[in-house]
């Protein structure tokens, strides 16, 4: 076992959105993802207590299995550390909270153990933790959360950072229905296994939209990006991973000034992302009036390793939007 230091270390990692290409990415197509300016922060102390404190409610608690695996990967004894989690990133809605938690935890533990923590190493270890949360993830979440910014990702093939000619202004709205990425991914897998000929052309069509979207982003052509996001949502409906509630939210966004809107992440509930070059506050209010939580978000860069003892956040007691 590695001896940890006796101080306090912290690390913060951002949440993420999938701009286009979720689900198809599991089947080897390209997806575009971006980290967002909402974070999960992990603080590790070596006070020799095995307890975990969670400051943002059960959804952000570090599951014991994940903590044990992360400690094992770092060579630390989990009983010798205390892990505290804080976040302003809503959990369980497809915004990458498990990946953010995994990346921040791996970075903090490596720092605590005085080990190197290159992005490649952090990303690979976080993928191991993601498997505990999600079963068979494509790896897009831990990759974008580790490296930050906007990326094009193809499973076991490439990760390319994409430059944006203009900021990509987003509004994110949160559905009320409970959901699980793993369930949505498994459901689609069952349908695909029964009729691959039905689903393969839909994945190809999503791949085509993703490539067009990468060009639109590079050119700063937000209206075209919006059209492509709308088209991606229609294809996600055909994959049967959208829900009545998500479709309602997408319709509200388009009626309230968004140039594009779609579900993001696993679907079956969760969040929608809206591209909104106009008045974002007005769109947020439209969602709020209709009973959904929503907030403006921007693409963020990578997370941070805090100075010893200095947390990124004031400790929050809620992860509300
Ligand atoms: O729901 P999230 O944020 O975990 O996103 C999952 C994205 C999928 O493409 C549906 C699954 C994956 O592993 O890529």
């Amino acid at each position: 076992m590695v001896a940890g230091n006796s101080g306090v270390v912290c690390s913060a990692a951002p949440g993420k959105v999938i701009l286009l290409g979720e689900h198809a990415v599991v089947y080897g197509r390209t997806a575009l993802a971006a980290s967002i300016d909402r974070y999960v922060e992990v603080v590790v102390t070596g006070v020799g207590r095995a307890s975990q404190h969670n400051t943002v409610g059960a959804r952000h608690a570090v599951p014991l299995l994940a903590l044990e695996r992360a400690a094992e990967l770092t060579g630390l004894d989990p009983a010798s550390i205390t892990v505290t989690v804080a976040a302003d990133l809503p959990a369980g809605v497809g915004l990458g909270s498990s990946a953010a938690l995994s990346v921040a935890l791996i970075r903090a533990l490596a720092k605590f153990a005085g080990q190197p923590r290159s992005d490649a190493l952090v990303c690979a270890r976080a993928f191991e933790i993601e498997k505990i949360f999600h079963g068979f993830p494509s790896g897009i979440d831990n990759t974008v959360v580790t490296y930050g910014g906007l990326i094009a990702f193809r499973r076991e093939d490439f990760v390319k950072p994409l430059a944006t000619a203009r900021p990509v202004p987003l509004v994110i709205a949160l559905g009320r229905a409970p959901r699980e990425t793993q369930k949505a991914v498994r459901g689609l897998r069952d349908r695909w296994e029964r009729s691959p000929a039905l689903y393969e052309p839909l994945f190809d069509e999503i791949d085509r939209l993703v490539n067009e979207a990468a060009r639109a982003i590079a050119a700063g052509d937000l209206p075209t990006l919006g059209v492509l996001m709308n088209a991606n949502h229609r294809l996600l409906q055909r994959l049967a991973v959208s829900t009545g509630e998500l479709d309602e939210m997408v319709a509200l966004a388009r009626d309230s000034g968004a140039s594009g809107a779609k579900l993001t992440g696993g679907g079956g509930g969760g969040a929608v992302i809206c591209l909104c070059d106009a008045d974002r506050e007005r769109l947020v209010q439209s969602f709020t009036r209709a009973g959904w939580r929503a907030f403006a978000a921007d693409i963020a860069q990578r997370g941070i390793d805090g100075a010893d003892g200095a947390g990124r956040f004031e400790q929050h007691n809620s992860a509300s939007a």
Side-chain angles (χ1 to χ4, degrees), residues 16 18 22-23 25-26 94 96 134 137-138 140-141 179 181 185 265-266:
K16 70 94 199 25
I18 296 186
E22 52 273 272
H23 286 291
V25 70
V26 175
H134 288 312
S138 65
I140 190 169
D141 284 18
R179 43 78 71 184
T181 297
V185 170

Side-chain angles (χ1 to χ4, degrees), residues 194-305:
R194 282 196 297 275
S195 345
L198 195 65
Y199 290 96
E200 287 294 323
L202 299 178
F203 297 147
D204 285 339
E205 182 58 13
I206 291 174
D207 196 53
R208 196 185 62 73
L209 297 178
V210 165
N211 290 326
E212 268 190 59
R215 283 194 289 275
I217 288 168
D221 182 354
L222 295 186
T224 298
L225 179 61
V227 169
L228 294 166
M229 286 168 64
N230 290 339
N232 192 172
H233 186 74
R234 282 193 294 275
L235 286 161
L236 288 163
Q237 289 173 316
R238 291 178 64 191
L239 295 179
V241 293
S242 190
T243 62
E245 185 187 27
L246 293 174
D247 293 346
E248 251 186 80
M249 294 163 77
V250 163
L252 180 146
R254 291 181 195 152
D255 291 347
S256 309
S259 51
K262 62 179 276 294
L263 74 83
T264 188
V272 301
I273 50 168
C274 318
L275 183 65
C276 186
D277 211 7
D279 185 348
R280 285 199 280 180
E281 205 36 52
R282 219 189 89 212
L283 179 53
V284 168
Q285 280 166 15
S286 300
F287 277 115
T288 309
R289 271 197 302 277
W292 286 295
R293 288 197 294 154
F295 56 92
D298 292 300
I299 295 178
Q301 295 311 310
R302 48 177 293 129
I304 54 154
D305 276 353

